[in-house]
Amino acid sequence: MNRKEFIQTGSLGVAALFFLGSSSLFGNTPHPGNQNRENKTIILQKDTVIIGSGYGGSVAALRLCEKNIPVTLLEMGLNWEKSGEKFSTMINPGHSAAWLKSKTIAPFFNLFSLEKFTGALDRLDFEHIKIWLGRGVGGGSLVNGGMAVTPKKEYFREIFPTLDTEKFYSTYFPLANKELKTNVASEEFLEDCDFYKFTRVGEEEAKKAGFKTVCVPNVYDFKYMEKEYKNEVPRSALAGEVIYGNNHGKNSLDKTYLKKASDTGNLEILDLHQVNYITQNPDKTYSLDVSVINTKGEEIQHKIINTKKLILSAGTMGSNELLLKSNAKTQFPIDENVGKEWGNNGNFMTGRNWVKAFSGGTGFQQSTIPVGGIDHWEDEKKPFFVEIAPLPMGMNVATSLYLMVNKLKKFGDVKYDLKTDKLQLNWNESHTEHMKDNAKYFLRTMNKANGGTRSHLLFDNGFGADVCYHPLGGIVLGKATDNFGRLNGHENFYVVDGSLIPGTIGVNPFITITALAEYCMEEILEKDFS
Ligand code: FAE
């Protein structure tokens, strides 16, 4: 492939503190997770609160803090840096491997038992789809593959017809890439490095099958990786670290936006603070019911946090849940569009075996950081983008793993069931049928040109229709909110995260989420915080 052919940026106050009995504010309403709450409730007053420390929450925090606005950031996951805990590798999973589960929750080969701990990776299981999420200060940036992909301009325009596309490509996407420290690996390194044989093989086979390959930027520091390769620094990507967190190398949000926000002195981060639901008070302020938990997930303190301004950035699933649940529990007013236009960003996993099996396969060692993609987006009949994904099993598996991103044919929607206290997702095989057709076509074409077979042992006979890393939508910009994330029907309530994107963006989404957050916060700061 021509390595110059990158997917381009542009082209393609604490005021008062009281101690009360827990029943004093909400009568005898039992807490969802703790019917016998004996501990005291703390009531806190804050001016501005953000819920969730992923991409949306981190951008909001920095832009508020640098304007000297004190911010309290509530995050249900752990502050890993502060905790002294280490992230674990994929083949030796430890504390970080799963959010309060007794077994690993990777997309396959979950053979490992775990001690329950507030780990960095979570999985929500619905009937037809499993959704993976990051938990901890930094949200999804702690566990994701770091692929920093700017969407195709025309697709962005199609998805967001009311936004100024040109301004996004001249201002907000470049800003997002700069702040997130997006970079690309050097051609020489990729040609030379044993750990990228899986990418070289993946590209060579794709090209032979007539597909166009592209080099994908990442927020992992490739200069650091080059030093890892030379054994000059501790290894991370080259030591099997990624979905359970990276101890080095990756510019996750705690090292970029959140670090800058903290350096202003205006940011208070409260980790292990899980918001249960939100109430709107008669004076239009908000009260948050919050459980402070320990690393076993047990509530150790109950807080009511009152605030004038609230930014909801709990990620697509978290934000949908909080709005729908609060509406069901406290009659919190929400727009009828909340929960609609949800999608999996066309995620579909598949794999091929016996890839170059007789000439060295995909390599014994693999970097966990993907750098290659297959761009088939312009095809009229079968448009898709494919991430050539690593499979770092510590042995030569001669298997290529692919995460496909497809278009959506129809949206799903999210509801909340008060009786079971659970989210419900209207999403089934009819939503992913055309993605499976695309996967079949892709595998057929690759196998015809190169040999190899579908990886029947992976997923469901080689097809992972239920694997979702990119949940999007439900609180869509311009539908459930105004054109800047202000929740309809509210004056001081903002939604800033992946839920603003209507179900699909055609590539891995965090660059778009960051750019949208920058755009929303610019307006919100100017008009609502002046
Ligand atoms: P997100 O990053 O999910 O942050 C939300 C935060 O809110 C989390 O820290 C939650 O713990 C917290 N939270 C939720 N509910 C509550 C509550 N009730 N109280 C307090 N805190 C709460 O949201 N995307 C890419 O672009 N490139 C990739 O290479 C890539 N790889 C991925 C690999 C994996 C394994 C996974 C799981 C995702 C991947 N993604 C990737 C997706 C990306 O990480 C995701 O779209 C963003 O993290 C979403 O950003 P948000 O700001 O919406």
Side-chain angles (χ1 to χ4, degrees), residues 48-80:
T48 303
V49 169
I50 300 174
I51 305 175
S53 62
Y55 293 88
S58 299
V59 172
L62 174 59
R63 298 305 168 212
L64 288 159
C65 288
E66 67 186 9
K67 292 268 185 237
N68 253 339
I69 297 164
V71 171
T72 298
L73 179 54
L74 306 177
E75 168 55 55
M76 66 191 272
L78 189 62
N79 190 337
W80 287 86

Side-chain angles (χ1 to χ4, degrees), residues 324-371:
L324 292 163
K325 185 173 179 174
S326 304
N327 175 257
K329 282 181 97 71
T330 74
Q331 284 76 51
F332 181 86
I334 57 169
D335 188 273
E336 58 177 12
N337 286 309
V338 171
K340 297 203 175 129
E341 299 196 18
W342 185 91
N344 71 345
N345 198 27
N347 283 185
F348 197 98
M349 278 261 194
T350 190
R352 289 172 52 241
N353 286 341
W354 307 114
V355 173
K356 288 221 145 192
F358 303 106
S359 58
T362 46
F364 286 86
Q365 298 168 303
Q366 298 191 9
S367 167
T368 56
I369 296 299
V371 293

Side-chain angles (χ1 to χ4, degrees), residues 51-56 74-77 121 132-136 139-141 143-147 243 273-275 313-316 318 322 469-470 497-498 508-511 513:
I51 305 175
S53 62
Y55 293 88
L74 306 177
E75 168 55 55
M76 66 191 272
L121 184 70
W132 278 264
L133 310 163
R135 299 248 180 258
S141 77
V143 299
N144 67 33
M147 285 175 69
I243 59 170
H273 277 56
Q274 178 162 6
V275 179
S313 300
T316 296
L322 274 173
Y469 285 176
H470 305 160
D497 62 17
N508 315 53
F510 73 60
I511 287 292
I513 298 170

Side-chain angles (χ1 to χ4, degrees), residues 99-121:
W99 177 259
L100 303 172
K101 308 270 188 308
S102 49
K103 244 184 139 194
T104 52
I105 50 166
F108 35 73
F109 302 137
N110 286 307
L111 310 170
F112 302 93
S113 297
L114 295 172
E115 180 193 331
K116 277 196 185 178
F117 194 85
T118 48
L121 184 70

